[in-house]
Amino acid sequence: MHANSPCPVARSADLLGDRWALLVIRDAFDGITRFSDFQRSLGAARNILSDRLRRLADAGILQLQPASDGSAYQEYVLTAAGLELFPLLVALRQWGERHCFEAGEPHSQLIESGTRRPVPYMQPHGRNGEPLQATHTHVRKLKDAGGGA
Amino acid sequence: MHANSPCPVARSADLLGDRWALLVIRDAFDGITRFSDFQRSLGAARNILSDRLRRLADAGILQLQPASDGSAYQEYVLTAAGLELFPLLVALRQWGERHCFEAGEPHSQLIESGTRRPVPYMQPHGRNGEPLQATHTHVRKLKDAGGGA
């Protein structure tokens, strides 16, 4: 829909602005590879799940490969481009932790394996290394862009 | 749908896993406040746009306030919780820049106003200050959680 937009957010949102797609990607980061395991984790209808897996494969986010155990199953694994969605997943998670849970309400946690402690809060930084707020940024649009940022 | 999930990604994705919601938030960061301006920017149907504005207001991401020019218009502005979506928007943008454009294809840019240079690449960091890859993290689930990360 926004495949020709000059705005990278619009193009990303076309692929990723879908709750099932985001949850498939979450599960892929979590090590899930098989259709039946995605289905069990997500409780999604077969047709929804196969549509999202196909779209993510078409977008170069997931790739199909033969099962690692030599069986006839196919496995869905993140491509290099898919692995670069890690910051997006961290941003979704950290915002959710702050704004979608009551104080003290338990939730799953993303743990830094080396220290066994939660992954620190992620935010953009400026060239001077300091955290950067949205108010200290602006979008430079293309001069001839027709609508959209 | 996932309002009771112990996974912060699932709760965030329920609110934010929608391309129109993401584009409304993008435009709000870009300074758009009025219904007609969102409509012009997004080209969304009125009913879709008003649904998304209402959902984002219900979720505490946008708030309605009287127009800053004293007119009878209402303005939609990001709340404090909405402003904390900046890392999510940066992640969407930076992934889109890398994976949704051909080499050399022009796109809008997020500029650090102080330096007039593009905002540096954002990624999670570990407690030692080094960039953190997904493979060096894991999700600690709740012991009694029924399904989902």
Side-chain angles (χ1 to χ4, degrees):
Chain A
M1 192 154 46
H2 296 99
N4 295 317
S5 171
C7 174
V9 178
R11 294 198 191 180
S12 285
D14 264 9
L15 294 173
L16 302 164
D18 174 88
R19 58 170 63 81
W20 292 116
L22 293 172
L23 294 176
V24 166
I25 293 165
R26 175 200 67 177
D27 280 357
F29 272 110
D30 217 25
I32 290 181
T33 60
R34 291 192 183 174
F35 191 94
S36 57
D37 293 329
F38 283 111
Q39 199 174 20
R40 191 171 306 119
S41 167
L42 299 178
R46 281 190 77 82
N47 62 326
I48 289 181
L49 179 57
S50 51
D51 174 76
R52 297 316 188 278
L53 288 167
R54 190 181 56 243
R55 283 193 206 195
L56 291 170
D58 288 348
I61 291 170
L62 293 177
Q63 60 190 343
L64 270 164
Q65 63 182 33
S68 47
D69 64 2
S71 70
Y73 288 102
Q74 293 270 296
E75 291 184 342
Y76 294 88
V77 296
L78 292 162
T79 61
L83 287 167
E84 286 196 19
L85 288 168
F86 189 52
L88 183 76
L89 270 281
V90 171
L92 274 175
R93 168 176 286 279
Q94 293 184 336
W95 189 85
E97 290 175 353
R98 289 175 171 222
H99 300 291
C100 300
F101 286 81
E102 302 294 331
E105 187 183 0
H107 55 72
S108 69
Q109 290 195 301
L110 182 65
I111 300 296
E112 181 183 11
S113 300
T115 62
R116 300 190 183 182
R117 294 181 61 196
V119 170
Y121 185 63
M122 177 190 71
Q123 56 187 323
H125 287 74
R127 305 235 162 223
N128 64 359
E130 295 294 317
L132 189 61
Q133 305 301 320
T135 48
H136 295 134
T137 68
H138 62 276
V139 172
R140 183 186 290 159
K141 300 188 186 190
L142 299 189
K143 288 201 179 65
D144 56 350
Chain B
M1 193 156 42
H2 296 99
N4 294 316
S5 171
C7 173
V9 178
R11 294 198 190 179
S12 286
D14 264 9
L15 294 172
L16 302 163
D18 175 88
R19 59 170 61 81
W20 293 114
L22 293 172
L23 294 176
V24 166
I25 294 165
R26 175 200 67 177
D27 280 357
F29 271 109
D30 217 26
I32 291 182
T33 60
R34 291 190 184 177
F35 191 93
S36 58
D37 293 330
F38 282 111
Q39 200 175 20
R40 190 172 307 117
S41 166
L42 299 178
R46 281 189 77 82
N47 63 326
I48 288 181
L49 179 58
S50 56
D51 173 76
R52 297 317 189 277
L53 288 168
R54 191 180 58 243
R55 281 193 208 196
L56 291 170
D58 288 348
I61 290 169
L62 293 176
Q63 61 191 344
L64 270 164
Q65 62 183 33
S68 48
D69 64 2
S71 70
Y73 288 102
Q74 293 270 296
E75 291 184 344
Y76 295 88
V77 296
L78 291 163
T79 61
L83 288 167
E84 286 196 20
L85 288 168
F86 188 51
L88 184 76
L89 271 282
V90 171
L92 273 175
R93 169 176 285 279
Q94 293 184 336
W95 190 85
E97 289 175 354
R98 290 174 169 224
H99 300 291
C100 300
F101 287 80
E102 301 295 330
E105 186 183 0
H107 56 72
S108 68
Q109 289 196 302
L110 182 66
I111 300 295
E112 181 183 11
S113 300
T115 63
R116 300 188 184 183
R117 294 181 62 197
V119 171
Y121 186 63
M122 177 190 71
Q123 55 187 323
H125 287 75
R127 305 237 159 220
N128 64 358
E130 295 295 317
L132 189 61
Q133 306 302 320
T135 46
H136 295 132
T137 67
H138 62 276
V139 173
R140 183 187 290 159
K141 300 189 183 187
L142 299 188
K143 287 202 181 63
D144 55 350

PDB file of all heavy atoms in Angstrom, chain B residues 7-8 12 16 30 36 39 41-42 44 51-52 57-58 60 67 72-73 81 85 94 96 101 113 120 125 140 148:
ATOM      1  N   CYS B   7       3.078 -11.334  28.281  1.00  0.00           N
ATOM      2  CA  CYS B   7       4.150 -10.868  27.389  1.00  0.00           C
ATOM      3  C   CYS B   7       3.936  -9.416  26.991  1.00  0.00           C
ATOM      4  O   CYS B   7       2.944  -9.077  26.343  1.00  0.00           O
ATOM      5  CB  CYS B   7       4.198 -11.728  26.128  1.00  0.00           C
ATOM      6  SG  CYS B   7       5.364 -11.088  24.905  1.00  0.00           S
ATOM      7  N   PRO B   8       4.869  -8.535  27.349  1.00  0.00           N
ATOM      8  CA  PRO B   8       4.728  -7.128  26.977  1.00  0.00           C
ATOM      9  C   PRO B   8       4.671  -6.900  25.469  1.00  0.00           C
ATOM     10  O   PRO B   8       4.011  -5.962  25.013  1.00  0.00           O
ATOM     11  CB  PRO B   8       5.979  -6.476  27.582  1.00  0.00           C
ATOM     12  CG  PRO B   8       6.352  -7.368  28.722  1.00  0.00           C
ATOM     13  CD  PRO B   8       6.031  -8.748  28.236  1.00  0.00           C
ATOM     14  N   SER B  12       1.672  -4.791  23.647  1.00  0.00           N
ATOM     15  CA  SER B  12       1.997  -3.670  22.758  1.00  0.00           C
ATOM     16  C   SER B  12       1.469  -3.922  21.349  1.00  0.00           C
ATOM     17  O   SER B  12       0.927  -3.009  20.710  1.00  0.00           O
ATOM     18  CB  SER B  12       3.513  -3.474  22.662  1.00  0.00           C
ATOM     19  OG  SER B  12       4.019  -2.899  23.819  1.00  0.00           O
ATOM     20  N   LEU B  16      -0.502  -1.577  18.839  1.00  0.00           N
ATOM     21  CA  LEU B  16       0.363  -0.929  17.858  1.00  0.00           C
ATOM     22  C   LEU B  16       0.570  -1.756  16.596  1.00  0.00           C
ATOM     23  O   LEU B  16       1.160  -1.266  15.635  1.00  0.00           O
ATOM     24  CB  LEU B  16       1.713  -0.620  18.508  1.00  0.00           C
ATOM     25  CG  LEU B  16       1.599   0.278  19.759  1.00  0.00           C
ATOM     26  CD1 LEU B  16       2.870   0.225  20.584  1.00  0.00           C
ATOM     27  CD2 LEU B  16       1.259   1.709  19.364  1.00  0.00           C
ATOM     28  N   ASP B  30       5.334  14.134  14.030  1.00  0.00           N
ATOM     29  CA  ASP B  30       5.714  15.110  13.011  1.00  0.00           C
ATOM     30  C   ASP B  30       4.967  16.437  13.196  1.00  0.00           C
ATOM     31  O   ASP B  30       5.125  17.355  12.383  1.00  0.00           O
ATOM     32  CB  ASP B  30       5.396  14.515  11.637  1.00  0.00           C
ATOM     33  CG  ASP B  30       6.429  14.878  10.594  1.00  0.00           C
ATOM     34  OD1 ASP B  30       7.589  15.144  10.972  1.00  0.00           O
ATOM     35  OD2 ASP B  30       6.075  14.901   9.407  1.00  0.00           O
ATOM     36  N   SER B  36      -8.359  16.800   9.994  1.00  0.00           N
ATOM     37  CA  SER B  36      -8.266  17.033   8.551  1.00  0.00           C
ATOM     38  C   SER B  36      -6.824  16.928   8.056  1.00  0.00           C
ATOM     39  O   SER B  36      -6.579  16.521   6.921  1.00  0.00           O
ATOM     40  CB  SER B  36      -8.852  18.397   8.193  1.00  0.00           C
ATOM     41  OG  SER B  36      -8.169  19.410   8.909  1.00  0.00           O
ATOM     42  N   GLN B  39      -5.950  13.302   7.907  1.00  0.00           N
ATOM     43  CA  GLN B  39      -6.613  12.714   6.748  1.00  0.00           C
ATOM     44  C   GLN B  39      -5.860  13.041   5.455  1.00  0.00           C
ATOM     45  O   GLN B  39      -5.651  12.185   4.605  1.00  0.00           O
ATOM     46  CB  GLN B  39      -8.055  13.221   6.677  1.00  0.00           C
ATOM     47  CG  GLN B  39      -8.930  12.337   5.834  1.00  0.00           C
ATOM     48  CD  GLN B  39     -10.384  12.765   5.867  1.00  0.00           C
ATOM     49  OE1 GLN B  39     -10.701  13.908   6.210  1.00  0.00           O
ATOM     50  NE2 GLN B  39     -11.263  11.859   5.512  1.00  0.00           N
ATOM     51  N   SER B  41      -2.679  13.801   5.170  1.00  0.00           N
ATOM     52  CA  SER B  41      -1.385  13.137   5.150  1.00  0.00           C
ATOM     53  C   SER B  41      -1.510  11.656   4.833  1.00  0.00           C
ATOM     54  O   SER B  41      -0.719  11.099   4.069  1.00  0.00           O
ATOM     55  CB  SER B  41      -0.707  13.321   6.508  1.00  0.00           C
ATOM     56  OG  SER B  41       0.392  12.441   6.628  1.00  0.00           O
ATOM     57  N   LEU B  42      -2.530  11.018   5.437  1.00  0.00           N
ATOM     58  CA  LEU B  42      -2.602   9.556   5.361  1.00  0.00           C
ATOM     59  C   LEU B  42      -3.440   9.056   4.193  1.00  0.00           C
ATOM     60  O   LEU B  42      -3.278   7.913   3.765  1.00  0.00           O
ATOM     61  CB  LEU B  42      -3.172   8.993   6.669  1.00  0.00           C
ATOM     62  CG  LEU B  42      -2.331   9.300   7.913  1.00  0.00           C
ATOM     63  CD1 LEU B  42      -2.998   8.735   9.156  1.00  0.00           C
ATOM     64  CD2 LEU B  42      -0.922   8.716   7.763  1.00  0.00           C
ATOM     65  N   ALA B  44      -6.390   8.229   4.510  1.00  0.00           N
ATOM     66  CA  ALA B  44      -7.238   7.180   5.093  1.00  0.00           C
ATOM     67  C   ALA B  44      -8.699   7.608   5.041  1.00  0.00           C
ATOM     68  O   ALA B  44      -9.006   8.800   5.112  1.00  0.00           O
ATOM     69  CB  ALA B  44      -6.833   6.926   6.553  1.00  0.00           C
ATOM     70  N   ASP B  51     -11.599   5.861  13.917  1.00  0.00           N
ATOM     71  CA  ASP B  51     -11.432   4.668  14.763  1.00  0.00           C
ATOM     72  C   ASP B  51     -10.029   4.628  15.382  1.00  0.00           C
ATOM     73  O   ASP B  51      -9.875   4.396  16.581  1.00  0.00           O
ATOM     74  CB  ASP B  51     -11.664   3.408  13.922  1.00  0.00           C
ATOM     75  CG  ASP B  51     -11.348   2.140  14.684  1.00  0.00           C
ATOM     76  OD1 ASP B  51     -12.165   1.757  15.529  1.00  0.00           O
ATOM     77  OD2 ASP B  51     -10.270   1.546  14.451  1.00  0.00           O
ATOM     78  N   ARG B  52      -9.004   4.862  14.569  1.00  0.00           N
ATOM     79  CA  ARG B  52      -7.650   4.786  15.096  1.00  0.00           C
ATOM     80  C   ARG B  52      -7.356   5.905  16.093  1.00  0.00           C
ATOM     81  O   ARG B  52      -6.677   5.690  17.102  1.00  0.00           O
ATOM     82  CB  ARG B  52      -6.619   4.828  13.957  1.00  0.00           C
ATOM     83  CG  ARG B  52      -6.681   3.670  12.994  1.00  0.00           C
ATOM     84  CD  ARG B  52      -6.858   2.334  13.643  1.00  0.00           C
ATOM     85  NE  ARG B  52      -6.692   1.240  12.698  1.00  0.00           N
ATOM     86  CZ  ARG B  52      -7.653   0.779  11.874  1.00  0.00           C
ATOM     87  NH1 ARG B  52      -8.858   1.317  11.850  1.00  0.00           N
ATOM     88  NH2 ARG B  52      -7.381  -0.253  11.083  1.00  0.00           N
ATOM     89  N   ALA B  57      -6.461   7.285  21.664  1.00  0.00           N
ATOM     90  CA  ALA B  57      -6.833   8.104  22.823  1.00  0.00           C
ATOM     91  C   ALA B  57      -7.245   7.195  23.990  1.00  0.00           C
ATOM     92  O   ALA B  57      -6.811   7.401  25.129  1.00  0.00           O
ATOM     93  CB  ALA B  57      -7.955   9.063  22.459  1.00  0.00           C
ATOM     94  N   ASP B  58      -8.039   6.165  23.702  1.00  0.00           N
ATOM     95  CA  ASP B  58      -8.449   5.237  24.761  1.00  0.00           C
ATOM     96  C   ASP B  58      -7.242   4.553  25.396  1.00  0.00           C
ATOM     97  O   ASP B  58      -7.252   4.233  26.585  1.00  0.00           O
ATOM     98  CB  ASP B  58      -9.384   4.160  24.197  1.00  0.00           C
ATOM     99  CG  ASP B  58     -10.756   4.704  23.849  1.00  0.00           C
ATOM    100  OD1 ASP B  58     -11.070   5.842  24.248  1.00  0.00           O
ATOM    101  OD2 ASP B  58     -11.521   3.990  23.164  1.00  0.00           O
ATOM    102  N   GLY B  60      -4.428   5.863  25.860  1.00  0.00           N
ATOM    103  CA  GLY B  60      -3.574   6.819  26.574  1.00  0.00           C
ATOM    104  C   GLY B  60      -2.353   7.243  25.786  1.00  0.00           C
ATOM    105  O   GLY B  60      -1.377   7.739  26.351  1.00  0.00           O
ATOM    106  N   ALA B  67      -7.881  23.511  20.604  1.00  0.00           N
ATOM    107  CA  ALA B  67      -6.880  23.972  19.638  1.00  0.00           C
ATOM    108  C   ALA B  67      -6.028  25.086  20.233  1.00  0.00           C
ATOM    109  O   ALA B  67      -6.524  25.946  20.969  1.00  0.00           O
ATOM    110  CB  ALA B  67      -7.564  24.461  18.370  1.00  0.00           C
ATOM    111  N   ALA B  72     -12.381  26.495  17.528  1.00  0.00           N
ATOM    112  CA  ALA B  72     -13.233  25.442  18.087  1.00  0.00           C
ATOM    113  C   ALA B  72     -12.695  24.035  17.795  1.00  0.00           C
ATOM    114  O   ALA B  72     -13.251  23.053  18.271  1.00  0.00           O
ATOM    115  CB  ALA B  72     -14.645  25.580  17.523  1.00  0.00           C
ATOM    116  N   TYR B  73     -11.613  23.942  17.025  1.00  0.00           N
ATOM    117  CA  TYR B  73     -11.069  22.627  16.715  1.00  0.00           C
ATOM    118  C   TYR B  73     -10.541  21.932  17.961  1.00  0.00           C
ATOM    119  O   TYR B  73     -10.136  22.570  18.917  1.00  0.00           O
ATOM    120  CB  TYR B  73      -9.926  22.739  15.711  1.00  0.00           C
ATOM    121  CG  TYR B  73     -10.378  23.079  14.327  1.00  0.00           C
ATOM    122  CD1 TYR B  73     -10.247  24.377  13.837  1.00  0.00           C
ATOM    123  CD2 TYR B  73     -10.923  22.105  13.500  1.00  0.00           C
ATOM    124  CE1 TYR B  73     -10.653  24.706  12.563  1.00  0.00           C
ATOM    125  CE2 TYR B  73     -11.343  22.424  12.220  1.00  0.00           C
ATOM    126  CZ  TYR B  73     -11.210  23.723  11.752  1.00  0.00           C
ATOM    127  OH  TYR B  73     -11.609  24.032  10.490  1.00  0.00           O
ATOM    128  N   ALA B  81       3.069   8.984  27.610  1.00  0.00           N
ATOM    129  CA  ALA B  81       3.225   7.583  27.172  1.00  0.00           C
ATOM    130  C   ALA B  81       3.412   7.523  25.654  1.00  0.00           C
ATOM    131  O   ALA B  81       4.208   6.734  25.149  1.00  0.00           O
ATOM    132  CB  ALA B  81       2.010   6.752  27.594  1.00  0.00           C
ATOM    133  N   LEU B  85       6.952   6.365  22.663  1.00  0.00           N
ATOM    134  CA  LEU B  85       6.996   5.512  21.467  1.00  0.00           C
ATOM    135  C   LEU B  85       8.088   5.948  20.492  1.00  0.00           C
ATOM    136  O   LEU B  85       8.262   5.325  19.442  1.00  0.00           O
ATOM    137  CB  LEU B  85       5.634   5.511  20.758  1.00  0.00           C
ATOM    138  CG  LEU B  85       4.537   4.742  21.505  1.00  0.00           C
ATOM    139  CD1 LEU B  85       3.177   5.017  20.905  1.00  0.00           C
ATOM    140  CD2 LEU B  85       4.843   3.246  21.467  1.00  0.00           C
ATOM    141  N   GLN B  94      14.432   3.025  10.911  1.00  0.00           N
ATOM    142  CA  GLN B  94      15.788   2.594  10.561  1.00  0.00           C
ATOM    143  C   GLN B  94      15.784   1.219   9.894  1.00  0.00           C
ATOM    144  O   GLN B  94      16.583   0.963   8.992  1.00  0.00           O
ATOM    145  CB  GLN B  94      16.687   2.649  11.807  1.00  0.00           C
ATOM    146  CG  GLN B  94      16.894   4.108  12.267  1.00  0.00           C
ATOM    147  CD  GLN B  94      17.842   4.269  13.430  1.00  0.00           C
ATOM    148  OE1 GLN B  94      18.043   3.351  14.216  1.00  0.00           O
ATOM    149  NE2 GLN B  94      18.428   5.466  13.563  1.00  0.00           N
ATOM    150  N   GLY B  96      13.292   0.155   8.035  1.00  0.00           N
ATOM    151  CA  GLY B  96      12.774   0.460   6.698  1.00  0.00           C
ATOM    152  C   GLY B  96      13.849   1.035   5.787  1.00  0.00           C
ATOM    153  O   GLY B  96      13.952   0.671   4.612  1.00  0.00           O
ATOM    154  N   PHE B 101      14.263  -0.020   0.869  1.00  0.00           N
ATOM    155  CA  PHE B 101      14.669   0.895  -0.200  1.00  0.00           C
ATOM    156  C   PHE B 101      15.828   0.279  -0.961  1.00  0.00           C
ATOM    157  O   PHE B 101      16.678  -0.404  -0.374  1.00  0.00           O
ATOM    158  CB  PHE B 101      15.099   2.262   0.381  1.00  0.00           C
ATOM    159  CG  PHE B 101      13.934   3.075   0.879  1.00  0.00           C
ATOM    160  CD1 PHE B 101      13.370   2.818   2.114  1.00  0.00           C
ATOM    161  CD2 PHE B 101      13.380   4.083   0.098  1.00  0.00           C
ATOM    162  CE1 PHE B 101      12.270   3.541   2.568  1.00  0.00           C
ATOM    163  CE2 PHE B 101      12.284   4.813   0.535  1.00  0.00           C
ATOM    164  CZ  PHE B 101      11.733   4.540   1.777  1.00  0.00           C
ATOM    165  N   SER B 113      18.343  17.676  15.263  1.00  0.00           N
ATOM    166  CA  SER B 113      18.283  19.102  14.936  1.00  0.00           C
ATOM    167  C   SER B 113      19.584  19.828  15.280  1.00  0.00           C
ATOM    168  O   SER B 113      20.023  20.717  14.538  1.00  0.00           O
ATOM    169  CB  SER B 113      17.107  19.756  15.672  1.00  0.00           C
ATOM    170  OG  SER B 113      15.896  19.127  15.277  1.00  0.00           O
ATOM    171  N   PRO B 120      21.757   8.675  14.671  1.00  0.00           N
ATOM    172  CA  PRO B 120      22.560   7.445  14.587  1.00  0.00           C
ATOM    173  C   PRO B 120      21.703   6.186  14.750  1.00  0.00           C
ATOM    174  O   PRO B 120      20.620   6.230  15.324  1.00  0.00           O
ATOM    175  CB  PRO B 120      23.545   7.584  15.754  1.00  0.00           C
ATOM    176  CG  PRO B 120      23.629   9.049  16.029  1.00  0.00           C
ATOM    177  CD  PRO B 120      22.254   9.581  15.723  1.00  0.00           C
ATOM    178  N   HIS B 125      21.737  -2.121  24.035  1.00  0.00           N
ATOM    179  CA  HIS B 125      23.078  -2.285  24.573  1.00  0.00           C
ATOM    180  C   HIS B 125      23.017  -3.108  25.854  1.00  0.00           C
ATOM    181  O   HIS B 125      22.029  -3.065  26.581  1.00  0.00           O
ATOM    182  CB  HIS B 125      23.714  -0.922  24.875  1.00  0.00           C
ATOM    183  CG  HIS B 125      24.118  -0.192  23.626  1.00  0.00           C
ATOM    184  ND1 HIS B 125      23.201   0.415  22.795  1.00  0.00           N
ATOM    185  CD2 HIS B 125      25.339  -0.009  23.046  1.00  0.00           C
ATOM    186  CE1 HIS B 125      23.840   0.959  21.753  1.00  0.00           C
ATOM    187  NE2 HIS B 125      25.129   0.719  21.880  1.00  0.00           N
ATOM    188  N   ARG B 140      12.775 -14.618  29.783  1.00  0.00           N
ATOM    189  CA  ARG B 140      12.429 -15.341  31.011  1.00  0.00           C
ATOM    190  C   ARG B 140      10.908 -15.259  31.160  1.00  0.00           C
ATOM    191  O   ARG B 140      10.358 -14.189  31.434  1.00  0.00           O
ATOM    192  CB  ARG B 140      13.118 -14.694  32.215  1.00  0.00           C
ATOM    193  CG  ARG B 140      12.866 -15.433  33.530  1.00  0.00           C
ATOM    194  CD  ARG B 140      13.426 -14.652  34.696  1.00  0.00           C
ATOM    195  NE  ARG B 140      14.889 -14.664  34.688  1.00  0.00           N
ATOM    196  CZ  ARG B 140      15.651 -13.777  35.321  1.00  0.00           C
ATOM    197  NH1 ARG B 140      15.090 -12.773  35.985  1.00  0.00           N
ATOM    198  NH2 ARG B 140      16.966 -13.852  35.278  1.00  0.00           N
ATOM    199  N   GLY B 148       2.449 -18.332  25.061  1.00  0.00           N
ATOM    200  CA  GLY B 148       2.979 -16.988  24.736  1.00  0.00           C
ATOM    201  C   GLY B 148       4.211 -16.706  25.547  1.00  0.00           C
ATOM    202  O   GLY B 148       4.392 -17.236  26.645  1.00  0.00           O
TER     203      GLY B 148
END
